[in-house]
């Protein structure tokens, strides 16, 4: 496989992850509007902005090809750590809707199941 093919595959994989972030942000704002999110609108906006910023930084790494210089060009470990932090922050601010959002932990861990070493996954 050439670098262009690998980079294209990694970018598609990142796009899937970013789409999941978009769905989570939509659910965050729906939870806020329905009264299940126990934080201020400013807190939700700040959290959303940080999520978009982190994804923008990752996108820039993929588009410039700088991810290929790293030990893990797919940035799977970084992406999983970011989303786990984001998910934990989100669940900490939810009230009765926590159970529904716990399902996302399974999706997060499945994202890295086949791409991480056993040591990194644990």
């Amino acid at each position: 496989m050439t670098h262009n093919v690998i980079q294209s595959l990694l970018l598609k994989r990142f796009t899937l992850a970013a789409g999941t972030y978009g769905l989570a942000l939509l659910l965050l704002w729906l939870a806020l509007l329905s009264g299940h999110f126990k934080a201020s609108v400013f807190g939700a906006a700040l959290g959303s902005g940080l999520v978009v910023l982190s994804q923008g930084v990752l996108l820039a790494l993929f588009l410039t090809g700088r991810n290929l210089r790293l030990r893990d060009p797919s940035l799977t470990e970084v992406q999983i750590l970011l989303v786990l932090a984001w998910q934990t922050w989100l669940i900490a601010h939810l009230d009765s809707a926590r159970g529904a959002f716990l399902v996302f932990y399974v999706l997060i861990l499945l994202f890295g199941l086949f791409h991480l070493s056993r040591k990194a996954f644990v």
Side-chain angles (χ1 to χ4, degrees), residues 6-57:
I6 292 171
Q7 189 67 0
S8 174
L9 179 65
L10 293 176
L11 192 57
K12 286 178 186 176
R13 195 167 163 260
F14 168 76
T15 304
L16 286 171
T20 305
Y21 272 101
L23 283 172
L25 286 174
L26 175 67
L27 290 173
L28 162 75
W29 285 97
L30 287 174
L32 180 74
L33 294 173
S34 66
H36 294 294
F37 189 75
K38 300 300 178 192
S40 65
V41 174
F42 175 75
L46 181 64
S48 298
L50 289 173
V51 165
V52 170
L53 178 68
S54 68
Q55 293 307 295
V57 169

Side-chain angles (χ1 to χ4, degrees), residues 3 11 13 25 41 50 60-62 90 106 111:
H3 286 297
L11 192 57
R13 195 167 163 260
L25 286 174
V41 174
L50 289 173
L61 285 172
F62 282 112
L90 176 63
V106 176
F111 182 74

Side-chain angles (χ1 to χ4, degrees), residues 66-106:
R66 291 186 179 167
N67 64 311
L68 296 173
R69 299 179 193 164
L70 302 172
R71 186 186 57 152
D72 177 21
S74 67
L75 300 173
T76 302
E77 193 171 346
V78 171
Q79 289 184 55
I80 289 176
L81 290 174
L82 274 171
V83 74
L84 285 175
W86 157 243
Q87 179 71 9
T88 303
W89 174 84
L90 176 63
I91 286 179
H93 290 89
L94 289 172
D95 191 27
S96 61
R98 280 188 179 141
F101 281 82
L102 284 172
V103 173
F104 281 106
Y105 277 119
V106 176

